[in-house]
Amino acid sequence: DVKVTQSSRYLVKRTGEKVFLECVQDMDHENMFWYRQDPGLGLRLIYFSYDVKMKEKGDIPEGYSVSREKKERFSLILESASTNQTSMYLCASSLAGGPASGNTIYFGEGSWLTVV
Amino acid sequence: QKEVEQNSGPLSVPEGAIASLNCTYSDRGSQSFFWYRQYSGKSPELIMFIYSNGDKEDGRFTAQLNKASQYVSLLIRDSQPSDSATYLCAVPLGGGGFKTIFGAGTRLFVKA
């Protein structure tokens, strides 16, 4: 059974804190993604990675960075959390070739982040 | 700006009826299309994938694709209360990239 695991389900952080969201997949997928989901806005891509140490900006990368040191692990970093980053964050993965090649995106359970 | 549009709903249907969910997209280069189901507080899960014009059936679900008109739809036959969820249309951008545009989703409510 496919598995994308996000280590933190619910977090409350203060403005200005550095926040780490960790994600691990056990499917040996090449591609990993970080999305955020907000009511009425759908899922928006923050960053993605198609290989170890490789990263590409998505549609809303400002205020975020990522790290992929191992194939199975993709971390999202909020350098200085702000209240407008309160959201649900979804990690996902897919096989090489990506969704444009018909490869399904598998999602983790999500991390609910509140910045106060 | 590539877009995927869905009616936000809620769409309310009685149990046993057919639910019809629609999605339009702007990128003519897109070749594959996904429908995801998302229960409240949960992550999206794949329902259907379609890349050829016409219909694709999987159990009670039928996806319909019309590339010329740039729309994709999802029909749910014999709707059940357990089908109550938000349905997301997802369209990978053409050109072989990794970006997928998700619609904001249609909330479906199936009344028992």
Side-chain angles (χ1 to χ4, degrees), chain A residues 9 31 33 35 37 40 42-43 45 48 50 57-59 88 90 97-100 102-105 107-109, chain B residues 31-32 34 36 38 41-46 49 88 92-105:
Chain A
R9 292 298 312 278
N31 304 320
F33 309 84
Y35 291 88
Q37 186 173 30
L43 278 81
L45 181 63
F48 65 94
Y50 54 88
K57 293 180 179 179
D59 298 315
M88 182 168 80
L90 286 162
N103 294 306
T104 302
I105 297 175
F107 289 91
E109 287 297 306
Chain B
Q31 297 296 318
S32 55
F34 297 82
Y36 286 83
Q38 186 175 24
K42 301 293 186 180
S43 60
E45 56 182 344
L46 180 70
F49 161 68
L88 306 175
L93 292 181
F98 298 96
K99 291 187 179 181
T100 296
I101 305 297
F102 285 81

mmCIF file of all heavy atoms in Angstrom, chain A residues 9 31 33 35 37 40 42-43 45 48 50 57-59 88 90 97-100 102-105 107-109, chain B residues 31-32 34 36 38 41-46 49 88 92-105:
data_model
loop_
_atom_site.group_PDB
_atom_site.id
_atom_site.type_symbol
_atom_site.label_atom_id
_atom_site.label_comp_id
_atom_site.label_asym_id
_atom_site.label_seq_id
_atom_site.Cartn_x
_atom_site.Cartn_y
_atom_site.Cartn_z
ATOM 1 N N ARG A 9 0.912 16.511 12.251
ATOM 2 C CA ARG A 9 -0.444 16.722 11.756
ATOM 3 C C ARG A 9 -0.967 18.102 12.122
ATOM 4 O O ARG A 9 -1.647 18.739 11.328
ATOM 5 C CB ARG A 9 -1.380 15.659 12.309
ATOM 6 C CG ARG A 9 -1.136 14.258 11.788
ATOM 7 C CD ARG A 9 -1.331 14.142 10.277
ATOM 8 N NE ARG A 9 -2.554 14.729 9.796
ATOM 9 C CZ ARG A 9 -3.744 14.149 9.818
ATOM 10 N NH1 ARG A 9 -3.877 12.948 10.338
ATOM 11 N NH2 ARG A 9 -4.807 14.759 9.329
ATOM 12 N N ASN A 31 9.462 11.848 -7.841
ATOM 13 C CA ASN A 31 8.943 13.207 -7.687
ATOM 14 C C ASN A 31 8.260 13.396 -6.337
ATOM 15 O O ASN A 31 7.520 12.529 -5.879
ATOM 16 C CB ASN A 31 7.902 13.506 -8.776
ATOM 17 C CG ASN A 31 8.446 13.302 -10.163
ATOM 18 O OD1 ASN A 31 9.580 13.647 -10.444
ATOM 19 N ND2 ASN A 31 7.632 12.739 -11.033
ATOM 20 N N PHE A 33 6.291 16.637 -3.911
ATOM 21 C CA PHE A 33 5.656 17.946 -4.037
ATOM 22 C C PHE A 33 5.223 18.457 -2.664
ATOM 23 O O PHE A 33 4.899 17.666 -1.778
ATOM 24 C CB PHE A 33 4.382 17.843 -4.903
ATOM 25 C CG PHE A 33 4.561 17.165 -6.231
ATOM 26 C CD1 PHE A 33 4.515 15.782 -6.332
ATOM 27 C CD2 PHE A 33 4.739 17.916 -7.384
ATOM 28 C CE1 PHE A 33 4.657 15.146 -7.560
ATOM 29 C CE2 PHE A 33 4.881 17.294 -8.618
ATOM 30 C CZ PHE A 33 4.844 15.916 -8.706
ATOM 31 N N TYR A 35 2.220 21.153 -1.444
ATOM 32 C CA TYR A 35 1.103 22.017 -1.773
ATOM 33 C C TYR A 35 0.582 22.648 -0.485
ATOM 34 O O TYR A 35 0.750 22.108 0.609
ATOM 35 C CB TYR A 35 -0.066 21.215 -2.372
ATOM 36 C CG TYR A 35 0.174 20.634 -3.735
ATOM 37 C CD1 TYR A 35 0.754 19.375 -3.890
ATOM 38 C CD2 TYR A 35 -0.221 21.318 -4.881
ATOM 39 C CE1 TYR A 35 0.946 18.834 -5.159
ATOM 40 C CE2 TYR A 35 -0.040 20.787 -6.149
ATOM 41 C CZ TYR A 35 0.556 19.540 -6.281
ATOM 42 O OH TYR A 35 0.749 19.002 -7.525
ATOM 43 N N GLN A 37 -3.302 24.134 0.846
ATOM 44 C CA GLN A 37 -4.708 24.146 0.478
ATOM 45 C C GLN A 37 -5.447 25.112 1.371
ATOM 46 O O GLN A 37 -5.423 24.986 2.600
ATOM 47 C CB GLN A 37 -5.325 22.745 0.599
ATOM 48 C CG GLN A 37 -6.748 22.671 0.081
ATOM 49 C CD GLN A 37 -7.287 21.264 0.058
ATOM 50 O OE1 GLN A 37 -6.910 20.432 0.876
ATOM 51 N NE2 GLN A 37 -8.177 20.973 -0.886
ATOM 52 N N GLY A 40 -11.564 27.700 -0.905
ATOM 53 C CA GLY A 40 -11.885 28.493 -2.085
ATOM 54 C C GLY A 40 -10.746 28.676 -3.062
ATOM 55 O O GLY A 40 -10.965 29.153 -4.177
ATOM 56 N N GLY A 42 -8.306 26.078 -3.616
ATOM 57 C CA GLY A 42 -7.801 24.815 -4.109
ATOM 58 C C GLY A 42 -6.389 24.551 -3.636
ATOM 59 O O GLY A 42 -5.878 25.192 -2.714
ATOM 60 N N LEU A 43 -5.756 23.587 -4.282
ATOM 61 C CA LEU A 43 -4.373 23.249 -3.958
ATOM 62 C C LEU A 43 -3.441 24.098 -4.806
ATOM 63 O O LEU A 43 -3.623 24.212 -6.022
ATOM 64 C CB LEU A 43 -4.097 21.773 -4.253
ATOM 65 C CG LEU A 43 -4.506 20.768 -3.204
ATOM 66 C CD1 LEU A 43 -5.983 20.474 -3.316
ATOM 67 C CD2 LEU A 43 -3.710 19.487 -3.365
ATOM 68 N N LEU A 45 0.688 24.770 -5.691
ATOM 69 C CA LEU A 45 1.998 24.145 -5.612
ATOM 70 C C LEU A 45 3.032 25.133 -5.086
ATOM 71 O O LEU A 45 3.193 26.232 -5.622
ATOM 72 C CB LEU A 45 2.408 23.635 -6.996
ATOM 73 C CG LEU A 45 3.740 22.922 -7.094
ATOM 74 C CD1 LEU A 45 3.723 21.637 -6.260
ATOM 75 C CD2 LEU A 45 4.055 22.614 -8.554
ATOM 76 N N PHE A 48 8.451 21.640 -5.909
ATOM 77 C CA PHE A 48 8.522 20.223 -6.197
ATOM 78 C C PHE A 48 9.964 19.826 -6.450
ATOM 79 O O PHE A 48 10.827 20.672 -6.687
ATOM 80 C CB PHE A 48 7.603 19.830 -7.358
ATOM 81 C CG PHE A 48 7.979 20.419 -8.689
ATOM 82 C CD1 PHE A 48 8.777 19.719 -9.569
ATOM 83 C CD2 PHE A 48 7.494 21.656 -9.074
ATOM 84 C CE1 PHE A 48 9.104 20.239 -10.804
ATOM 85 C CE2 PHE A 48 7.817 22.197 -10.306
ATOM 86 C CZ PHE A 48 8.629 21.490 -11.172
ATOM 87 N N TYR A 50 12.263 16.630 -8.464
ATOM 88 C CA TYR A 50 12.225 15.470 -9.344
ATOM 89 C C TYR A 50 13.401 14.526 -9.116
ATOM 90 O O TYR A 50 13.527 13.509 -9.780
ATOM 91 C CB TYR A 50 12.148 15.881 -10.814
ATOM 92 C CG TYR A 50 13.229 16.838 -11.238
ATOM 93 C CD1 TYR A 50 14.457 16.385 -11.696
ATOM 94 C CD2 TYR A 50 13.008 18.213 -11.176
ATOM 95 C CE1 TYR A 50 15.445 17.260 -12.082
ATOM 96 C CE2 TYR A 50 14.001 19.107 -11.554
ATOM 97 C CZ TYR A 50 15.220 18.623 -12.006
ATOM 98 O OH TYR A 50 16.199 19.497 -12.385
ATOM 99 N N LYS A 57 10.704 25.739 -8.200
ATOM 100 C CA LYS A 57 9.643 26.556 -7.622
ATOM 101 C C LYS A 57 8.315 26.229 -8.260
ATOM 102 O O LYS A 57 8.228 25.972 -9.456
ATOM 103 C CB LYS A 57 9.956 28.038 -7.827
ATOM 104 C CG LYS A 57 11.168 28.519 -7.050
ATOM 105 C CD LYS A 57 11.414 30.000 -7.302
ATOM 106 C CE LYS A 57 12.622 30.482 -6.510
ATOM 107 N NZ LYS A 57 12.902 31.919 -6.761
ATOM 108 N N GLY A 58 7.303 26.246 -7.420
ATOM 109 C CA GLY A 58 5.948 26.111 -7.919
ATOM 110 C C GLY A 58 5.333 27.477 -8.141
ATOM 111 O O GLY A 58 6.016 28.419 -8.529
ATOM 112 N N ASP A 59 4.056 27.584 -7.844
ATOM 113 C CA ASP A 59 3.342 28.830 -8.098
ATOM 114 C C ASP A 59 3.450 29.836 -6.958
ATOM 115 O O ASP A 59 3.319 31.034 -7.174
ATOM 116 C CB ASP A 59 1.858 28.523 -8.365
ATOM 117 C CG ASP A 59 1.679 27.661 -9.600
ATOM 118 O OD1 ASP A 59 2.321 27.966 -10.625
ATOM 119 O OD2 ASP A 59 0.914 26.678 -9.541
ATOM 120 N N MET A 88 -3.400 24.405 5.470
ATOM 121 C CA MET A 88 -3.094 22.980 5.468
ATOM 122 C C MET A 88 -2.042 22.724 4.395
ATOM 123 O O MET A 88 -2.214 23.155 3.243
ATOM 124 C CB MET A 88 -4.309 22.111 5.190
ATOM 125 C CG MET A 88 -3.941 20.620 5.260
ATOM 126 S SD MET A 88 -5.301 19.462 5.273
ATOM 127 C CE MET A 88 -5.725 19.381 3.561
ATOM 128 N N LEU A 90 0.092 19.956 2.240
ATOM 129 C CA LEU A 90 0.025 18.584 1.754
ATOM 130 C C LEU A 90 1.307 18.225 1.024
ATOM 131 O O LEU A 90 1.722 18.913 0.099
ATOM 132 C CB LEU A 90 -1.154 18.402 0.803
ATOM 133 C CG LEU A 90 -2.540 18.361 1.447
ATOM 134 C CD1 LEU A 90 -3.616 18.623 0.409
ATOM 135 C CD2 LEU A 90 -2.782 17.013 2.100
ATOM 136 N N GLY A 97 8.327 11.131 -14.539
ATOM 137 C CA GLY A 97 7.443 11.463 -15.649
ATOM 138 C C GLY A 97 6.318 12.356 -15.187
ATOM 139 O O GLY A 97 5.757 13.122 -15.959
ATOM 140 N N GLY A 98 5.982 12.236 -13.912
ATOM 141 C CA GLY A 98 5.010 13.141 -13.331
ATOM 142 C C GLY A 98 3.582 12.908 -13.788
ATOM 143 O O GLY A 98 3.299 12.008 -14.592
ATOM 144 N N PRO A 99 2.670 13.717 -13.304
ATOM 145 C CA PRO A 99 1.254 13.560 -13.633
ATOM 146 C C PRO A 99 0.943 13.783 -15.099
ATOM 147 O O PRO A 99 -0.024 13.226 -15.608
ATOM 148 C CB PRO A 99 0.565 14.607 -12.742
ATOM 149 C CG PRO A 99 1.642 15.526 -12.291
ATOM 150 C CD PRO A 99 2.904 14.755 -12.294
ATOM 151 N N ALA A 100 1.732 14.575 -15.805
ATOM 152 C CA ALA A 100 1.478 14.791 -17.231
ATOM 153 C C ALA A 100 1.622 13.493 -18.024
ATOM 154 O O ALA A 100 1.079 13.360 -19.121
ATOM 155 C CB ALA A 100 2.412 15.858 -17.789
ATOM 156 N N GLY A 102 0.544 10.735 -16.834
ATOM 157 C CA GLY A 102 -0.496 9.860 -16.317
ATOM 158 C C GLY A 102 -0.177 9.239 -14.979
ATOM 159 O O GLY A 102 -0.892 8.344 -14.529
ATOM 160 N N ASN A 103 0.878 9.701 -14.341
ATOM 161 C CA ASN A 103 1.234 9.138 -13.037
ATOM 162 C C ASN A 103 0.454 9.830 -11.923
ATOM 163 O O ASN A 103 0.464 11.049 -11.799
ATOM 164 C CB ASN A 103 2.735 9.294 -12.784
ATOM 165 C CG ASN A 103 3.549 8.471 -13.751
ATOM 166 O OD1 ASN A 103 3.348 7.270 -13.887
ATOM 167 N ND2 ASN A 103 4.475 9.116 -14.436
ATOM 168 N N THR A 104 -0.161 9.034 -11.107
ATOM 169 C CA THR A 104 -0.985 9.544 -10.017
ATOM 170 C C THR A 104 -0.133 10.281 -8.995
ATOM 171 O O THR A 104 0.989 9.880 -8.695
ATOM 172 C CB THR A 104 -1.708 8.382 -9.334
ATOM 173 O OG1 THR A 104 -2.498 7.707 -10.312
ATOM 174 C CG2 THR A 104 -2.601 8.874 -8.210
ATOM 175 N N ILE A 105 -0.691 11.332 -8.456
ATOM 176 C CA ILE A 105 -0.088 12.018 -7.310
ATOM 177 C C ILE A 105 -0.692 11.409 -6.059
ATOM 178 O O ILE A 105 -1.914 11.357 -5.911
ATOM 179 C CB ILE A 105 -0.376 13.528 -7.358
ATOM 180 C CG1 ILE A 105 0.269 14.158 -8.597
ATOM 181 C CG2 ILE A 105 0.134 14.202 -6.097
ATOM 182 C CD1 ILE A 105 -0.080 15.621 -8.770
ATOM 183 N N PHE A 107 -1.022 11.626 -1.985
ATOM 184 C CA PHE A 107 -0.922 12.658 -0.964
ATOM 185 C C PHE A 107 -0.727 12.073 0.424
ATOM 186 O O PHE A 107 -1.233 10.995 0.744
ATOM 187 C CB PHE A 107 -2.197 13.510 -0.948
ATOM 188 C CG PHE A 107 -2.343 14.406 -2.135
ATOM 189 C CD1 PHE A 107 -3.015 13.977 -3.266
ATOM 190 C CD2 PHE A 107 -1.807 15.684 -2.121
ATOM 191 C CE1 PHE A 107 -3.150 14.797 -4.367
ATOM 192 C CE2 PHE A 107 -1.935 16.521 -3.213
ATOM 193 C CZ PHE A 107 -2.610 16.066 -4.344
ATOM 194 N N GLY A 108 -0.016 12.829 1.254
ATOM 195 C CA GLY A 108 0.022 12.540 2.673
ATOM 196 C C GLY A 108 -1.250 13.026 3.339
ATOM 197 O O GLY A 108 -2.137 13.586 2.687
ATOM 198 N N GLU A 109 -1.341 12.830 4.657
ATOM 199 C CA GLU A 109 -2.556 13.151 5.391
ATOM 200 C C GLU A 109 -2.709 14.640 5.646
ATOM 201 O O GLU A 109 -3.767 15.091 6.059
ATOM 202 C CB GLU A 109 -2.572 12.399 6.722
ATOM 203 C CG GLU A 109 -2.838 10.911 6.570
ATOM 204 C CD GLU A 109 -4.214 10.659 5.979
ATOM 205 O OE1 GLU A 109 -5.202 11.179 6.537
ATOM 206 O OE2 GLU A 109 -4.318 9.943 4.958
ATOM 207 N N GLN B 31 -3.049 16.773 -21.601
ATOM 208 C CA GLN B 31 -3.411 15.495 -22.210
ATOM 209 C C GLN B 31 -4.029 14.503 -21.230
ATOM 210 O O GLN B 31 -4.691 13.567 -21.642
ATOM 211 C CB GLN B 31 -2.158 14.856 -22.824
ATOM 212 C CG GLN B 31 -1.555 15.670 -23.959
ATOM 213 C CD GLN B 31 -2.496 15.767 -25.145
ATOM 214 O OE1 GLN B 31 -3.130 14.783 -25.529
ATOM 215 N NE2 GLN B 31 -2.610 16.961 -25.708
ATOM 216 N N SER B 32 -3.772 14.692 -19.943
ATOM 217 C CA SER B 32 -4.302 13.750 -18.961
ATOM 218 C C SER B 32 -5.037 14.519 -17.878
ATOM 219 O O SER B 32 -4.720 15.681 -17.608
ATOM 220 C CB SER B 32 -3.178 12.900 -18.363
ATOM 221 O OG SER B 32 -2.173 13.715 -17.813
ATOM 222 N N PHE B 34 -7.342 14.145 -14.056
ATOM 223 C CA PHE B 34 -7.581 13.345 -12.872
ATOM 224 C C PHE B 34 -8.777 13.888 -12.097
ATOM 225 O O PHE B 34 -9.016 15.087 -12.063
ATOM 226 C CB PHE B 34 -6.361 13.404 -11.933
ATOM 227 C CG PHE B 34 -5.098 12.821 -12.509
ATOM 228 C CD1 PHE B 34 -4.303 13.567 -13.368
ATOM 229 C CD2 PHE B 34 -4.690 11.545 -12.167
ATOM 230 C CE1 PHE B 34 -3.128 13.037 -13.895
ATOM 231 C CE2 PHE B 34 -3.517 11.012 -12.683
ATOM 232 C CZ PHE B 34 -2.735 11.759 -13.541
ATOM 233 N N TYR B 36 -10.044 13.628 -8.123
ATOM 234 C CA TYR B 36 -9.725 13.218 -6.764
ATOM 235 C C TYR B 36 -10.947 13.471 -5.881
ATOM 236 O O TYR B 36 -11.707 14.415 -6.089
ATOM 237 C CB TYR B 36 -8.545 14.004 -6.200
ATOM 238 C CG TYR B 36 -7.195 13.614 -6.758
ATOM 239 C CD1 TYR B 36 -6.747 14.130 -7.961
ATOM 240 C CD2 TYR B 36 -6.368 12.725 -6.069
ATOM 241 C CE1 TYR B 36 -5.502 13.773 -8.478
ATOM 242 C CE2 TYR B 36 -5.128 12.365 -6.566
ATOM 243 C CZ TYR B 36 -4.701 12.889 -7.766
ATOM 244 O OH TYR B 36 -3.473 12.529 -8.264
ATOM 245 N N GLN B 38 -12.005 14.175 -1.873
ATOM 246 C CA GLN B 38 -11.432 14.619 -0.606
ATOM 247 C C GLN B 38 -12.536 14.725 0.446
ATOM 248 O O GLN B 38 -13.417 15.568 0.339
ATOM 249 C CB GLN B 38 -10.704 15.963 -0.758
ATOM 250 C CG GLN B 38 -9.969 16.393 0.482
ATOM 251 C CD GLN B 38 -9.148 17.655 0.271
ATOM 252 O OE1 GLN B 38 -9.436 18.452 -0.605
ATOM 253 N NE2 GLN B 38 -8.109 17.839 1.094
ATOM 254 N N GLY B 41 -11.374 17.190 6.102
ATOM 255 C CA GLY B 41 -10.263 16.972 7.013
ATOM 256 C C GLY B 41 -9.274 15.921 6.570
ATOM 257 O O GLY B 41 -8.320 15.621 7.298
ATOM 258 N N LYS B 42 -9.496 15.366 5.382
ATOM 259 C CA LYS B 42 -8.606 14.327 4.864
ATOM 260 C C LYS B 42 -7.884 14.813 3.622
ATOM 261 O O LYS B 42 -8.157 15.886 3.101
ATOM 262 C CB LYS B 42 -9.416 13.068 4.529
ATOM 263 C CG LYS B 42 -10.171 12.478 5.697
ATOM 264 C CD LYS B 42 -9.226 11.916 6.751
ATOM 265 C CE LYS B 42 -9.977 11.205 7.851
ATOM 266 N NZ LYS B 42 -9.049 10.660 8.888
ATOM 267 N N SER B 43 -6.963 13.998 3.146
ATOM 268 C CA SER B 43 -6.215 14.360 1.948
ATOM 269 C C SER B 43 -6.915 13.810 0.705
ATOM 270 O O SER B 43 -7.721 12.882 0.788
ATOM 271 C CB SER B 43 -4.787 13.821 2.046
ATOM 272 O OG SER B 43 -4.794 12.414 2.170
ATOM 273 N N PRO B 44 -6.629 14.373 -0.450
ATOM 274 C CA PRO B 44 -7.262 13.890 -1.691
ATOM 275 C C PRO B 44 -6.815 12.472 -2.033
ATOM 276 O O PRO B 44 -5.667 12.089 -1.798
ATOM 277 C CB PRO B 44 -6.757 14.882 -2.746
ATOM 278 C CG PRO B 44 -6.327 16.091 -1.987
ATOM 279 C CD PRO B 44 -5.808 15.569 -0.689
ATOM 280 N N GLU B 45 -7.743 11.707 -2.609
ATOM 281 C CA GLU B 45 -7.429 10.360 -3.079
ATOM 282 C C GLU B 45 -7.949 10.210 -4.499
ATOM 283 O O GLU B 45 -9.003 10.733 -4.855
ATOM 284 C CB GLU B 45 -8.047 9.305 -2.168
ATOM 285 C CG GLU B 45 -9.535 9.426 -1.995
ATOM 286 C CD GLU B 45 -10.111 8.392 -1.049
ATOM 287 O OE1 GLU B 45 -9.432 7.399 -0.742
ATOM 288 O OE2 GLU B 45 -11.268 8.569 -0.622
ATOM 289 N N LEU B 46 -7.220 9.471 -5.312
ATOM 290 C CA LEU B 46 -7.549 9.332 -6.720
ATOM 291 C C LEU B 46 -8.853 8.558 -6.912
ATOM 292 O O LEU B 46 -9.074 7.520 -6.318
ATOM 293 C CB LEU B 46 -6.427 8.616 -7.457
ATOM 294 C CG LEU B 46 -6.660 8.414 -8.954
ATOM 295 C CD1 LEU B 46 -6.575 9.757 -9.679
ATOM 296 C CD2 LEU B 46 -5.654 7.424 -9.524
ATOM 297 N N PHE B 49 -8.735 8.540 -13.658
ATOM 298 C CA PHE B 49 -7.766 9.150 -14.542
ATOM 299 C C PHE B 49 -8.246 8.925 -15.958
ATOM 300 O O PHE B 49 -8.668 7.819 -16.313
ATOM 301 C CB PHE B 49 -6.389 8.516 -14.324
ATOM 302 C CG PHE B 49 -5.433 8.724 -15.457
ATOM 303 C CD1 PHE B 49 -4.955 9.985 -15.735
ATOM 304 C CD2 PHE B 49 -5.019 7.660 -16.235
ATOM 305 C CE1 PHE B 49 -4.077 10.184 -16.779
ATOM 306 C CE2 PHE B 49 -4.137 7.848 -17.288
ATOM 307 C CZ PHE B 49 -3.664 9.111 -17.562
ATOM 308 N N LEU B 88 -12.205 17.052 -6.615
ATOM 309 C CA LEU B 88 -11.224 17.942 -7.228
ATOM 310 C C LEU B 88 -10.871 17.470 -8.624
ATOM 311 O O LEU B 88 -10.541 16.296 -8.828
ATOM 312 C CB LEU B 88 -9.943 17.980 -6.381
ATOM 313 C CG LEU B 88 -10.076 18.337 -4.908
ATOM 314 C CD1 LEU B 88 -8.723 18.213 -4.219
ATOM 315 C CD2 LEU B 88 -10.625 19.728 -4.741
ATOM 316 N N PRO B 92 -2.777 18.220 -15.257
ATOM 317 C CA PRO B 92 -1.349 18.485 -15.439
ATOM 318 C C PRO B 92 -1.138 19.391 -16.640
ATOM 319 O O PRO B 92 -1.789 19.215 -17.681
ATOM 320 C CB PRO B 92 -0.756 17.096 -15.677
ATOM 321 C CG PRO B 92 -1.763 16.146 -15.129
ATOM 322 C CD PRO B 92 -3.093 16.798 -15.344
ATOM 323 N N LEU B 93 -0.238 20.335 -16.506
ATOM 324 C CA LEU B 93 0.006 21.243 -17.611
ATOM 325 C C LEU B 93 0.699 20.514 -18.762
ATOM 326 O O LEU B 93 1.498 19.601 -18.546
ATOM 327 C CB LEU B 93 0.876 22.413 -17.157
ATOM 328 C CG LEU B 93 0.218 23.375 -16.168
ATOM 329 C CD1 LEU B 93 1.174 24.509 -15.819
ATOM 330 C CD2 LEU B 93 -1.085 23.935 -16.726
ATOM 331 N N GLY B 94 0.399 20.912 -19.959
ATOM 332 C CA GLY B 94 1.016 20.327 -21.120
ATOM 333 C C GLY B 94 2.495 20.661 -21.195
ATOM 334 O O GLY B 94 2.976 21.515 -20.475
ATOM 335 N N GLY B 95 3.211 19.961 -22.050
ATOM 336 C CA GLY B 95 4.628 20.225 -22.188
ATOM 337 C C GLY B 95 5.494 19.300 -21.373
ATOM 338 O O GLY B 95 6.719 19.461 -21.327
ATOM 339 N N GLY B 96 4.888 18.318 -20.727
ATOM 340 C CA GLY B 96 5.675 17.316 -20.006
ATOM 341 C C GLY B 96 6.201 17.752 -18.680
ATOM 342 O O GLY B 96 7.072 17.106 -18.108
ATOM 343 N N GLY B 97 5.697 18.832 -18.139
ATOM 344 C CA GLY B 97 6.196 19.323 -16.859
ATOM 345 C C GLY B 97 5.548 18.620 -15.692
ATOM 346 O O GLY B 97 4.808 17.655 -15.844
ATOM 347 N N PHE B 98 5.846 19.112 -14.511
ATOM 348 C CA PHE B 98 5.358 18.480 -13.300
ATOM 349 C C PHE B 98 4.258 19.264 -12.615
ATOM 350 O O PHE B 98 3.768 18.855 -11.579
ATOM 351 C CB PHE B 98 6.516 18.296 -12.316
ATOM 352 C CG PHE B 98 7.595 17.405 -12.846
ATOM 353 C CD1 PHE B 98 8.708 17.932 -13.465
ATOM 354 C CD2 PHE B 98 7.481 16.030 -12.735
ATOM 355 C CE1 PHE B 98 9.693 17.105 -13.966
ATOM 356 C CE2 PHE B 98 8.468 15.202 -13.233
ATOM 357 C CZ PHE B 98 9.573 15.737 -13.844
ATOM 358 N N LYS B 99 3.895 20.380 -13.165
ATOM 359 C CA LYS B 99 2.892 21.200 -12.506
ATOM 360 C C LYS B 99 1.500 20.708 -12.865
ATOM 361 O O LYS B 99 1.183 20.474 -14.026
ATOM 362 C CB LYS B 99 3.051 22.663 -12.910
ATOM 363 C CG LYS B 99 4.313 23.309 -12.367
ATOM 364 C CD LYS B 99 4.334 24.800 -12.650
ATOM 365 C CE LYS B 99 5.600 25.436 -12.077
ATOM 366 N NZ LYS B 99 5.638 26.901 -12.320
ATOM 367 N N THR B 100 0.689 20.561 -11.851
ATOM 368 C CA THR B 100 -0.709 20.187 -12.005
ATOM 369 C C THR B 100 -1.559 21.297 -11.414
ATOM 370 O O THR B 100 -1.309 21.743 -10.296
ATOM 371 C CB THR B 100 -0.999 18.859 -11.282
ATOM 372 O OG1 THR B 100 -0.252 17.810 -11.893
ATOM 373 C CG2 THR B 100 -2.475 18.525 -11.336
ATOM 374 N N ILE B 101 -2.533 21.719 -12.169
ATOM 375 C CA ILE B 101 -3.463 22.730 -11.673
ATOM 376 C C ILE B 101 -4.687 22.014 -11.126
ATOM 377 O O ILE B 101 -5.294 21.184 -11.821
ATOM 378 C CB ILE B 101 -3.882 23.705 -12.782
ATOM 379 C CG1 ILE B 101 -2.662 24.329 -13.440
ATOM 380 C CG2 ILE B 101 -4.790 24.783 -12.199
ATOM 381 C CD1 ILE B 101 -1.806 25.164 -12.526
ATOM 382 N N PHE B 102 -5.028 22.310 -9.893
ATOM 383 C CA PHE B 102 -6.215 21.735 -9.268
ATOM 384 C C PHE B 102 -7.344 22.761 -9.266
ATOM 385 O O PHE B 102 -7.125 23.947 -8.990
ATOM 386 C CB PHE B 102 -5.923 21.345 -7.815
ATOM 387 C CG PHE B 102 -5.092 20.103 -7.670
ATOM 388 C CD1 PHE B 102 -3.714 20.154 -7.804
ATOM 389 C CD2 PHE B 102 -5.693 18.888 -7.395
ATOM 390 C CE1 PHE B 102 -2.944 18.999 -7.676
ATOM 391 C CE2 PHE B 102 -4.935 17.738 -7.253
ATOM 392 C CZ PHE B 102 -3.565 17.798 -7.404
ATOM 393 N N GLY B 103 -8.528 22.293 -9.568
ATOM 394 C CA GLY B 103 -9.690 23.131 -9.365
ATOM 395 C C GLY B 103 -9.958 23.279 -7.871
ATOM 396 O O GLY B 103 -9.420 22.526 -7.054
ATOM 397 N N ALA B 104 -10.780 24.249 -7.526
ATOM 398 C CA ALA B 104 -11.089 24.494 -6.114
ATOM 399 C C ALA B 104 -12.011 23.426 -5.536
ATOM 400 O O ALA B 104 -12.171 23.339 -4.319
ATOM 401 C CB ALA B 104 -11.693 25.881 -5.937
ATOM 402 N N GLY B 105 -12.606 22.619 -6.423
ATOM 403 C CA GLY B 105 -13.417 21.510 -5.940
ATOM 404 C C GLY B 105 -14.904 21.801 -5.912
ATOM 405 O O GLY B 105 -15.324 22.948 -5.748
#
